[in-house]
Amino acid sequence: MAAKGVGEETSTGLTPGSLRELIEKSDHVLRSTVKTIGGKIWAYPSPGLYPGAWNWDTPQIAEGLFHSDKETAIRLLEDFLTMQWENGMIPHIVFPQLTPGERLQKDVYFPPPSIWYITDDHIQDYAQVPAAAYENHPAYKATGGRTTGITQYPIWAISLKNMYDYEQQQHTSHPEMALQLTPERLAGLVEKLNKSHQWFHEHRDPLNLGIVAEFHPWMGCDNAPCYDRAMARIAAGTTPEELALIKTQRTDLKAIKARNGDSSERPTDLDYAAYIKIAHRLARVTEKEMKGEAVTIDDIPFAVYSPMLTGMLIRAERDLAALAQAAGRKDIAEEARKRADRMSKSMVGHLWDNRAGQFCYLDAKGMEKEPVKFIGTCFPLLDETLPPAIRTAVKKRLQADYITDFGIASASKDNPERVPGKPGYDPCRYWRGPIWDNVTRLLRPFTTDPGSLRDGALKRALDNGCREYSNPETGAGLGGHDFGWTAGAVRADAEARLHELEAQTPALQRQTHASIHQPGGIKPDIIKKSRDSTGFFLE
Ligand code: GLC
């Protein structure tokens, strides 16, 4: 997209004024996600939608917040990592409001964390299940039952590297500014992230292929079509009684109804039944691991080697290496680089399909390689050492299959049905078509027109607010409102876009530099306003 002249609007109608408005609004949303509980700072994905702090949402929220409040942003990372499991796993949800051993109140959120510690296979009424069913699980004892039992995508080092680069850039123009991501503070985070990366290699490669597998769809893309066949296998034995039990407990549908949303955007009851069954069987896996017993592929209910997870972990390893270097931890830098290089070769060896011209998901339970048309297959682009011919082919697929007038769709319109009754594409249903702005932000550098994608996302945020996800055909906002990671992406992009417009107007540049780019971020009065109106920092 050609840049416009001084003070003009962009072709999507963005002006310096509207960008400032977006900065203010996204700051407000970001602050409204932040809560102080038990002396620690947590970010909930969106106020009122999910009652807990989520793994990969947290660094993406922190990244946006870092532009206006560095200390809170760093604390979000540090505090979440206090719940890292002993073996290195960063849990996918932390329920900081629970004291150890306390149950999640019925109707607050389904499913409660107990599902990750119950080793019996059947779906139950979790409000009634006796504590004896889970309290002896070693992981329950270790965490007090305040976390789930899986992890999410390893975006931590990627977001932290963006935060680090941002501060370093500011420091170049304001050398008097004190750095908040000091080498000591960085080193603390780097050590924990290194441990979590090691955990992926040790616990998520059941066939020793040198790449990593997803053990549960709640890794981050819940109902994506790449899991359809593996999920169908698990869902097969679900009884009508189990489905009825699921239906009465699902709080997500109640929440969406209360907001006049459409339940057809959500995963189905049968999906939920399979999610819970996998969780129970994984409870047996973690129990065995913690007792030092060997785990075989037969113990693991669901294991899908994933180009999304592997591609992201490769990039995260390289970002971790750079951060470790900056923190004076050359040993970790070296280890992370080696892991990335090894994984990069194995990813091409095991997941690339030359005939299909794309990366595939590989079901470890049947060794079936699937050229599904899901956006996760483009994530190997995050690996900068991808062989050039493969890189070119993946970029072509990204462009041809996923770019719409409004952003990057999560599934392609041409994705064939993989199991009966589940269309391969649905523009409204979560990870089966909608645009997710955090994904767009990660992948747009590999498209032919990243500027348009960025402007398009900003325009949607201006029109619809920071929605959880959007319809790829109409641009309409879907899912939760005031969504944290969308606000994080908007915050960073709006500032960068404003910068570009300012660069064409020296007077404007002076004015906004004084407000937005001052060390410490945006105007103090905006911070005050948001704190007052959102209860930020209140329990
Ligand atoms: C949904 C998303 C997941 C995200 C969570 C909280 O489950 O699929 O990726 O982390 O919501 O926002």
Side-chain angles (χ1 to χ4, degrees), residues 76-260:
L76 280 179
L77 303 183
E78 291 171 340
D79 289 354
F80 197 101
L81 290 173
T82 60
M83 297 300 282
Q84 182 172 24
W85 281 22
E86 193 54 40
N87 63 8
M89 187 188 81
I90 307 176
H92 113 281
I93 312 178
V94 173
F95 295 95
Q97 70 272 42
L98 298 181
T99 53
E102 190 187 357
R103 265 178 202 252
L104 197 64
Q105 258 184 355
K106 188 176 180 282
D107 280 344
V108 167
Y109 180 73
F110 179 78
S114 56
I115 64 156
W116 303 98
Y117 309 104
I118 295 175
T119 52
D120 139 10
D121 244 17
H122 300 290
I123 289 160
Q124 331 201 356
D125 176 349
Y126 297 95
Q128 308 295 335
V129 74
Y134 52 81
E135 66 187 3
N136 291 320
H137 191 290
Y140 181 90
K141 284 188 177 159
T143 61
R146 299 164 73 210
T147 77
T148 57
I150 48 163
T151 191
Q152 280 192 305
Y153 292 114
I155 204 165
W156 287 72
I158 300 174
S159 290
L160 183 58
K161 172 74 168 33
N162 287 341
M163 288 158 68
Y164 175 78
D165 290 345
Y166 179 79
E167 189 175 48
Q168 291 294 316
Q169 236 169 31
Q170 275 189 324
H171 195 61
T172 310
S173 46
H174 295 277
E176 76 290 354
M177 182 189 91
L179 288 174
Q180 302 209 32
L181 273 172
T182 57
E184 298 72 41
R185 226 162 165 192
L186 215 46
L189 289 164
V190 159
E191 270 171 37
K192 293 195 160 190
L193 298 185
N194 186 45
K195 213 173 153 193
S196 91
H197 288 189
Q198 277 168 342
W199 174 87
F200 273 105
H201 296 281
E202 285 161 18
H203 296 267
R204 286 299 180 263
D205 182 8
L207 302 177
N208 285 319
L209 300 184
I211 48 177
V212 274
E214 304 190 24
F215 277 19
H216 198 294
W218 281 339
M219 177 94 217
C221 294
D222 312 57
N223 66 336
C226 54
Y227 312 127
D228 282 359
R229 290 192 185 153
M231 281 283 282
R233 208 179 44 232
I234 311 270
T238 307
T239 63
E241 293 72 31
E242 286 179 319
L243 275 182
L245 268 174
I246 290 276
K247 211 183 265 309
T248 54
Q249 295 179 80
R250 281 185 69 178
T251 47
D252 60 319
L253 297 182
K254 287 180 201 151
I256 209 158
K257 217 169 162 187
R259 288 162 180 260
N260 297 323

Side-chain angles (χ1 to χ4, degrees), residues 45 50 54-57 109 152-153 218-222 266 430-431 436 468 483 485:
Y50 301 116
W54 291 61
N55 176 329
W56 78 312
D57 296 62
Y109 180 73
Q152 280 192 305
Y153 292 114
W218 281 339
M219 177 94 217
C221 294
D222 312 57
R266 299 285 309 165
Y430 232 40
W431 291 95
W436 292 77
E468 188 174 6
F483 206 73
W485 74 32

